Amino acid sequence: MIKSVNLRELIADMLIEITKNGEYSHVVIGQTLEKYQYLPKPDRSFLKKVTNGTIEQMIYIDYILNHYSKVKVNKMKPMIRAILRSSVYQLYFMDRIPSSAVCNEAVKLTAKRGFQNLKGFVNGVLRAIAREGCREILPPIDQVTEYLSVKYSAPEWLVKRWTDTYGKEPTEHMLDYFLHEKNTTIRCNNSKITSIKLKEKLTEDGVKKIMDTPLSYAFEISGYDHLTSLSSFREGLFAVQDMSSMLVAEAAGVQENDLCIDVCAAPGGKTLHVADKLGGTGRVLCGDISEKKAEKIMENVERMGFENVAVHVWDATEFEEELKETADIVLADVPCSGLGVIGRKPDIKFKMNPEGIEELIPLQRKILANVKNYVKPGGVLMFSTCTVNEKENQENVNWFIKENPQFILEDFSEKMPQAIKPLVKNGYLQLLPGECNTDGFFIAKLRRKG
């Protein structure tokens, strides 16, 4: 007999793992869904939606709680904080759940976890919120930074940085995009199947929505149970990859028989894309810094069925003499602040800060300074990040060219889909979150003089 599961208790425990113990939300949610994959689809959807949504809306939720509770959020016990946060999310963002059910379940869970004396407190806060109809509570609109921070649940330092750089309206558009539910973007494994046949296969697998993208081999899908339930996924007929990331291989101009090196490669999206473009020729050498990351790449390589890929545990800051000037293409998607993918990894808002960004820049430059040595004369270094931050992107490119005059920026606009061509400037592309319905992403193409 399958033991009954308290979904709200699981959610509270996941929130503590993420907010108190510092675990990544997508990892914690993924592991929980895998452990409880026997649960009905609606239950698993509830687990994911409430946990992810609570993290996504946490600044706004805390602002509401601090309005109604005499005990401020940062003074609450971790379990009580998790119960209240997830309950407020349900009250405000899940209309189909009666407010009485949310309040009652929160009180029962409070008692179950040993906080009998706090049942009244939890009940009082949630009943007060429900009694007032879950009304919107925001700072004054003329206090732009605080207003946008609370409304879109984004840290004030990020709002200030983006409004200073891009202005209020573009910043609001980016922050709003983060809060929209994302479809899964996939890339057809052209080495195994055509895009047309993949669409047919996905339909047979029961995928309810399959939408085209500006790339003929990429689709957005939704309305399926989970990836591993799709035979097309298990058979390696597609890879999950955002379109912005796919543009790296497009810009690189992969040719048959090229030797390509992909550093910082986990989970392997760009590696697999390059291998697919090689059409069974050439070779891709890839790796990442830990055994766990290398194993994740290998798992995807084996599922997709590529034999021209070699995976290693590899520190991108350490020079490999035997690779000197051997590569036609080097991909360097360096560790970054991840500000462009907050919509998929909302806990980045709480893990990253200005000091953390400053600490990343020397590492990024150290990696670039090392891996440039692998590019043969006439070859290409592709530098990319999944962030929106000039210091990590344009300023790193300017620094690199100044230090390495043998490299020049090369225009790649003609290799881009029509909608993206105008956004390529001076040999690089900065996609803002939501632009062309993609994540925020940066790509620069650096050609080594022959």
Side-chain angles (χ1 to χ4, degrees):
M1 179 180 291
I2 296 174
K3 185 180 178 182
S4 64
V5 175
N6 186 320
L7 300 179
R8 289 174 171 83
E9 186 172 19
L10 278 181
I11 289 165
D13 286 334
M14 283 194 282
L15 289 173
I16 289 173
E17 280 294 300
I18 296 162
T19 60
K20 183 172 181 286
N21 300 339
E23 299 293 337
Y24 287 100
S25 60
H26 67 286
V27 173
V28 172
I29 294 170
Q31 289 174 342
T32 302
L33 291 177
E34 185 175 353
K35 181 177 179 180
Y36 294 96
Q37 59 183 288
Y38 60 82
L39 290 172
K41 182 181 177 181
D43 287 355
R44 283 184 283 110
S45 296
F46 181 79
L47 285 174
K48 182 178 180 180
K49 184 175 178 63
V50 177
T51 307
N52 202 62
T54 302
I55 296 296
E56 194 171 59
Q57 296 283 359
M58 200 158 70
I59 291 174
Y60 180 50
I61 288 170
D62 287 357
Y63 191 82
I64 292 166
L65 284 170
N66 284 335
H67 178 82
Y68 284 98
S69 172
K70 291 180 180 179
V71 180
K72 299 308 175 189
V73 172
N74 63 347
K75 298 291 186 183
M76 295 176 183
K77 296 182 183 298
M79 179 53 67
I80 300 302
R81 186 162 54 225
I83 291 171
L84 284 173
R85 280 172 168 169
S86 59
S87 298
V88 171
Y89 178 80
Q90 293 168 65
L91 289 172
Y92 270 79
F93 299 101
M94 301 184 75
D95 295 339
R96 294 183 180 181
I97 304 177
S99 58
S100 57
V102 174
C103 297
N104 290 338
E105 290 301 320
V107 171
K108 285 195 283 187
L109 181 55
T110 299
K112 181 180 179 184
R113 295 306 288 258
F115 297 100
Q116 281 281 100
N117 60 326
L118 293 177
K119 285 166 56 180
F121 167 70
V122 169
N123 187 59
V125 170
L126 295 178
R127 296 285 180 189
I129 293 171
R131 192 163 49 246
E132 293 193 14
C134 298
R135 65 185 178 89
E136 184 178 68
I137 301 171
L138 293 170
I141 197 167
D142 59 343
Q143 296 176 13
V144 175
T145 299
E146 187 182 4
Y147 174 80
L148 292 179
S149 171
V150 174
K151 182 177 181 180
Y152 296 104
S153 214
E156 288 191 14
W157 69 265
L158 178 59
V159 174
K160 179 79 165 59
R161 177 170 291 200
W162 280 358
T163 51
D164 286 350
T165 304
Y166 303 105
K168 179 179 179 293
E169 285 189 18
T171 298
E172 193 163 8
H173 177 77
M174 289 189 278
L175 298 177
D176 182 58
Y177 177 75
F178 287 150
L179 298 179
H180 288 171
E181 190 169 348
K182 308 293 184 296
N183 296 320
T184 304
T185 309
I186 64 171
R187 177 178 49 74
C188 177
N189 182 357
N190 289 315
S191 298
K192 282 189 172 183
I193 194 171
T194 66
S195 299
I196 294 172
K197 290 291 185 183
L198 176 60
K199 272 189 171 182
E200 294 173 0
K201 183 74 171 172
L202 289 167
T203 301
E204 291 171 9
D205 275 346
V207 176
K208 290 186 171 56
K209 285 189 179 179
I210 307 167
M211 294 147 282
D212 292 331
T213 73
L215 293 171
S216 62
Y217 52 77
F219 310 109
E220 289 185 20
I221 63 172
S222 64
Y224 61 92
D225 193 352
H226 53 90
L227 280 175
T228 53
S229 72
L230 304 178
S231 62
S232 48
F233 176 78
R234 297 193 303 272
E235 293 167 17
L237 303 184
F238 69 84
V240 175
Q241 187 180 11
D242 191 73
M243 192 182 78
S244 58
S245 174
M246 298 179 206
L247 297 177
V248 175
E250 288 296 324
V254 180
Q255 302 291 321
E256 285 190 1
N257 296 310
D258 276 351
L259 172 63
C260 304
I261 295 176
D262 186 5
V263 300
C264 311
K270 297 176 197 66
T271 288
L272 296 166
H273 195 185
V274 169
D276 195 12
K277 282 187 168 293
L278 286 171
T281 71
R283 197 172 179 214
V284 186
L285 306 179
C286 70
D288 218 309
I289 196 165
S290 70
E291 190 74 43
K292 185 175 181 180
K293 288 187 173 185
E295 286 174 359
K296 184 62 179 175
I297 301 170
M298 181 56 73
E299 176 186 314
N300 285 319
V301 169
E302 290 176 348
R303 181 177 60 82
M304 300 287 279
F306 290 110
E307 297 181 356
N308 58 343
V309 178
V311 183
H312 306 277
V313 177
W314 195 356
D315 185 341
T317 65
E318 294 183 4
F319 181 57
E320 303 284 343
E321 178 66 39
E322 66 273 19
L323 298 179
K324 184 177 179 180
E325 298 185 0
T326 60
D328 297 284
I329 296 170
V330 171
L331 308 181
D333 191 90
V334 299
C336 70
S337 56
L339 303 179
V341 294
I342 288 172
R344 299 181 190 278
K345 300 177 181 179
D347 48 321
I348 289 172
K349 293 187 285 191
F350 312 104
K351 292 181 183 296
M352 190 48 62
N353 54 50
E355 295 74 28
I357 291 174
E358 291 298 325
E359 291 171 4
L360 279 168
I361 292 168
L363 172 62
Q364 294 163 348
R365 294 185 175 185
K366 188 175 182 181
I367 290 171
L368 291 173
N370 181 46
V371 302
K372 74 167 194 297
N373 297 304
Y374 303 148
V375 182
K376 64 168 60 170
V380 167
L381 171 61
M382 297 300 303
F383 165 53
S384 61
T385 73
C386 57
T387 197
V388 181
N389 176 31
E390 288 190 348
K391 286 190 172 184
E392 296 178 83
N393 296 337
Q394 293 93 326
E395 289 186 21
N396 268 341
V397 170
N398 294 338
W399 165 84
F400 182 82
I401 290 173
K402 184 178 178 181
E403 294 291 318
N404 303 279
Q406 71 273 33
F407 283 86
I408 57 172
L409 279 165
E410 180 173 290
D411 180 63
F412 55 88
S413 57
E414 290 307 308
K415 298 182 182 297
M416 296 292 98
Q418 196 62 42
I420 291 173
K421 282 182 182 181
L423 305 177
V424 181
K425 296 174 181 172
N426 305 315
Y428 66 81
L429 167 66
Q430 175 67 76
L431 282 167
L432 302 182
E435 208 162 21
C436 300
N437 199 33
T438 70
D439 291 337
F441 210 82
F442 179 84
I443 303 170
K445 183 175 185 177
L446 297 145
R447 175 80 66 179
R448 182 172 178 177
K449 296 174 186 177

